[in-house]
Amino acid sequence: MIIINVHCDVDPARREEFMDFAEDLVTKSRQDAGNLFYSYFEDALVPNHFLIVEHWQDQKAVDAHNQTPHLQTFLKTANTYLTHDFDIQVSHTDN
């Protein structure tokens, strides 16, 4: 399994717009082949810090997801909602 965490620090003035944007990404990504889990959360201790969490069956699923229109839109547009570039962390497990 591949776990991807995307940390996003959102401009407070664009918070609601970002949440709609992220919800669209999550809804579409959950339908992608090989997706095991996909959601986003706001940090309870750090206002406007969001975490997108993805679990994928294998690298083939991640590669396919990376080519989808919804992820390409996220990659091209996300920074318009953020105070600085998002941070992506990838982990691999044996499960």
Side-chain angles (χ1 to χ4, degrees):
M1 179 170 58
I2 299 171
I3 299 169
I4 301 172
N5 293 325
V6 183
H7 294 265
C8 302
D9 290 311
V10 175
D11 178 348
R14 304 223 45 213
R15 181 180 181 278
E16 296 300 321
E17 292 172 81
F18 175 80
M19 290 174 66
D20 291 340
F21 180 65
E23 182 176 336
D24 183 62
L25 172 68
V26 168
T27 299
K28 291 174 179 172
S29 297
R30 286 179 174 174
Q31 304 304 311
D32 291 345
N35 177 257
L36 304 173
F37 179 85
Y38 209 109
S39 198
Y40 78 101
F41 307 91
E42 184 172 10
D43 190 318
L45 301 177
V46 182
N48 301 308
H49 180 83
F50 289 82
L51 177 64
I52 300 170
V53 179
E54 313 172 28
H55 293 185
W56 296 97
Q57 183 176 339
D58 54 27
Q59 188 61 49
K60 180 179 175 183
V62 173
D63 292 344
H65 171 66
N66 287 344
Q67 300 305 313
T68 61
H70 48 275
L71 185 67
Q72 290 300 311
T73 297
F74 176 83
L75 295 173
K76 291 175 186 170
T77 310
N79 281 335
T80 66
Y81 299 97
L82 308 180
T83 58
H84 57 83
D85 286 343
F86 51 83
D87 177 42
I88 301 174
Q89 299 171 342
V90 179
S91 302
H92 299 263
T93 69
D94 294 332
N95 298 343

